[in-house]
Amino acid sequence: MDYFKELYNLLDNCDKSQDIPVSALLVNSNSEIVAKSYNTRKLNNNISEHAEINVINELISNISYQNLSEYTLYTTLKPCTMCTGAIEQVKIRKVFYYVENKFNTYESPNIEYIHLRNEKNIDLYVKKLQNCFKKLR
């Protein structure tokens, strides 16, 4: 499964709402995508609607329990402190991310962070993220 392609395709939604382009997926133990989301913070005027929190809420609403220890999170940008707290609360233990978040240095000792540096199209995402921040300034 090409998780990066799935994540990248979700970013079009962020362009439309002018949200910072971040997307996230939750994957089950069979490597199937069971939930996907993106930032809707600006769209819904809600500071907590980051991609990681949105995808967690989506899965919880579908399965009706909050222990997500059997799931793995994939995200375009390393989670911020707020999202890391949410990830810890639902017991996700493994987070794969494509781009380092230079504004966040907190790492939970309960989460294994795996930086996927070698994705062949990562530069497309980095350019999209940089363009977004240029427009904000």
Side-chain angles (χ1 to χ4, degrees):
M1 173 62 70
D2 187 352
Y3 298 129
F4 182 78
K5 184 176 180 181
E6 288 285 331
L7 288 165
Y8 192 79
N9 288 339
L10 287 168
L11 297 177
D12 288 340
N13 298 299
C14 295
D15 290 342
K16 293 173 191 166
S17 65
Q18 299 179 334
D19 273 290
I20 294 172
V22 179
S23 55
L25 306 171
L26 281 168
V27 176
N28 66 16
S29 58
N30 294 322
S31 301
E32 300 165 323
I33 297 170
V34 294
K36 48 189 169 183
S37 195
Y38 51 90
N39 275 357
T40 55
R41 182 181 156 183
K42 191 170 184 178
L43 176 69
N44 295 328
N45 200 29
N46 184 326
I47 64 165
S48 67
E49 289 191 12
H50 288 200
E52 299 88 344
I53 292 175
N54 288 345
V55 79
I56 288 168
N57 285 334
E58 180 183 326
L59 183 58
I60 287 171
S61 70
N62 290 332
I63 62 174
S64 301
Y65 56 90
Q66 295 183 9
N67 182 340
L68 305 184
S69 60
E70 299 298 314
Y71 298 89
T72 301
L73 180 77
Y74 284 78
T75 185
T76 49
L77 187 65
K78 188 175 183 182
C80 70
T81 304
M82 176 180 67
C83 292
T84 297
I87 292 164
E88 280 185 304
Q89 288 293 312
V90 297
K91 299 176 177 49
I92 293 172
R93 297 293 173 235
K94 194 177 283 190
V95 174
F96 289 89
Y97 65 97
Y98 291 94
V99 174
E100 205 57 64
N101 184 343
K102 66 181 181 179
F103 299 107
N104 183 46
T105 56
Y106 174 71
E107 284 193 1
S108 167
N110 301 317
I111 299 170
E112 179 183 0
Y113 298 90
I114 298 131
H115 189 179
L116 300 169
R117 294 177 175 91
N118 297 325
E119 173 59 44
K120 61 183 175 184
N121 294 318
I122 196 88
D123 56 322
L124 293 173
Y125 174 65
V126 170
K127 188 174 277 190
K128 186 179 276 285
L129 194 59
Q130 289 170 338
N131 287 339
C132 175
F133 284 112
K134 281 181 188 174
K135 288 178 189 174
L136 291 174
R137 293 186 182 123

